[in-house]
Amino acid sequence: MNRDELQSQANALRWYHTIDLGQGVVTRGVDNTPERLPRVQLPEDLSGRSVLDIGAWDGFFSFEAERRGAARVVACDYYSWHGVGWGTGQGKAGFQLARTALNSRVEDLDLDVLNLSPNAVGTFDVVLFLGVLYHLPNPLLALERVASVSKGLLILETVVDMVGIGRPAAAFYPDGELNNDPTNWWGPNHAAVQGMLASVGFTRVEVITPAPSAPYRAARAVYHRLRGKNTLAAGFRQDRAVFHAYKA
Ligand SMILES: C[S@@+](CC[C@H](N)C(=O)[O-])C[C@H]1O[C@@H](n2cnc3c(N)ncnc32)[C@H](O)[C@@H]1O
């Protein structure tokens, strides 16, 4: 595909991820994904490893895992590829165009996280579970499924809430309470995520992005409030966090 064809096909789609497709074409994602990449701390070298990206959407992190040498990458999703209210009505055309443009061998798997099992998909050295946990009405059940297909490192990124409470706790979001998005259900705090990961069998859990200090969160809450983004109380309590969890 030449550059002009690629540019016009990319322009015809709506993108969640910002992906460099090569030839100077970058998708116009609503998410500044390259900026998020360092926070996740994906291992630099994934040579020979198998990777499962749960909730992959346009596949930025799947393609990045492949670029870092993974022997096999499976991008798994359902809602943004098919679900009402998620997708852009274009199925997984974004993922597919990116895969073609990048000459990628990333496999795609249409599956709800609750249907993951070793029998259904096997087990993976590295599992990515980024930006999905808070979308699930039954997070502990989902983490059991995620743990069942993880045999090495799980990288989990999520909204956290109730930060600073001092004990494991989670906020519940009926209707559109978080970001006016009815697909958001739970915001656990760091200790709750750590507790859930331990309870589903991860023996070591590292908090990659610890909770910022209370003064920092207060200043940030005021900053966001002035821009009309959140209430002060919610801005003080909420953040996003990354965890690395290991089995044995
Ligand atoms: C906020 S996006 C995150 C996309 C990507 N992982 C990232 O971090 O940029 C949430 C993703 O989770 C997926 N998702 C939501 N519920 C899911 C479920 N029950 N099983 C699998 N994926 C789900 C959505 O389809 C969507 O692609």
Side-chain angles (χ1 to χ4, degrees):
M1 193 180 323
N2 69 32
R3 187 192 182 285
D4 289 347
E5 279 167 345
L6 181 59
Q7 184 76 70
S8 86
Q9 287 195 37
N11 287 353
L13 295 171
R14 289 169 59 202
W15 294 87
Y16 180 68
H17 285 156
T18 301
I19 306 178
D20 185 342
L21 299 179
Q23 305 186 64
V25 178
V26 179
T27 65
R28 297 179 188 153
V30 293
D31 178 59
N32 187 346
T33 330
E35 190 180 271
R36 287 173 50 214
L37 181 60
R39 252 175 83 78
V40 167
Q41 291 194 23
L42 186 64
E44 286 297 330
D45 183 7
L46 289 169
S47 300
R49 308 238 242 151
S50 55
V51 177
L52 175 66
D53 181 8
I54 303 168
W57 206 326
D58 295 323
F60 175 96
F61 293 98
S62 305
F63 301 127
E64 183 61 26
E66 182 178 55
R67 203 184 65 76
R68 294 185 186 204
R72 180 179 181 223
V73 182
V74 177
C76 164
D77 210 319
Y78 188 81
Y79 292 88
S80 61
W81 290 347
H82 302 287
V84 176
W86 268 105
T88 44
Q90 60 189 24
K92 58 174 113 160
F95 171 84
Q96 286 164 328
L97 178 61
R99 181 167 61 185
T100 303
L102 296 170
N103 200 16
S104 160
R105 292 183 303 124
V106 170
E107 300 163 40
D108 54 303
L109 174 70
D110 296 45
L111 205 66
D112 189 300
V113 64
L114 291 181
N115 293 326
L116 287 169
S117 73
N119 277 346
V121 302
T123 55
F124 291 80
D125 300 315
V126 178
V127 174
L128 309 180
F129 195 47
L130 311 174
V132 184
L133 185 69
Y134 55 94
H135 289 298
L136 303 170
N138 299 297
L140 193 54
L141 184 60
L143 284 177
E144 279 178 13
R145 302 289 189 266
V146 171
S148 78
V149 297
S150 303
K151 61 178 171 184
L153 166 66
L154 166 69
I155 304 181
L156 185 158
E157 190 264 350
T158 184
V159 164
V160 281
D161 203 323
M162 313 302 276
V163 174
I165 290 292
R167 54 157 304 171
F172 179 59
Y173 309 120
D175 302 319
E177 198 178 291
L178 180 68
N179 299 336
N180 209 19
D181 180 349
T183 74
N184 291 332
W185 289 95
W186 292 98
N189 63 10
H190 296 72
V193 176
Q194 288 172 277
M196 286 194 286
L197 288 171
S199 78
V200 299
F202 290 97
T203 47
R204 181 158 63 94
V205 179
E206 290 173 6
V207 183
I208 301 298
T209 53
S213 69
Y216 177 89
R217 286 187 287 116
R220 189 179 56 187
V222 170
Y223 177 83
H224 284 155
R225 182 73 207 111
L226 290 173
R227 275 149 194 79
K229 268 180 122 182
N230 211 341
T231 65
L232 270 180
F236 184 64
R237 283 192 335 254
Q238 293 168 359
D239 202 356
R240 294 190 79 104
V242 177
F243 303 81
H244 285 191
Y246 301 84
K247 286 201 171 161

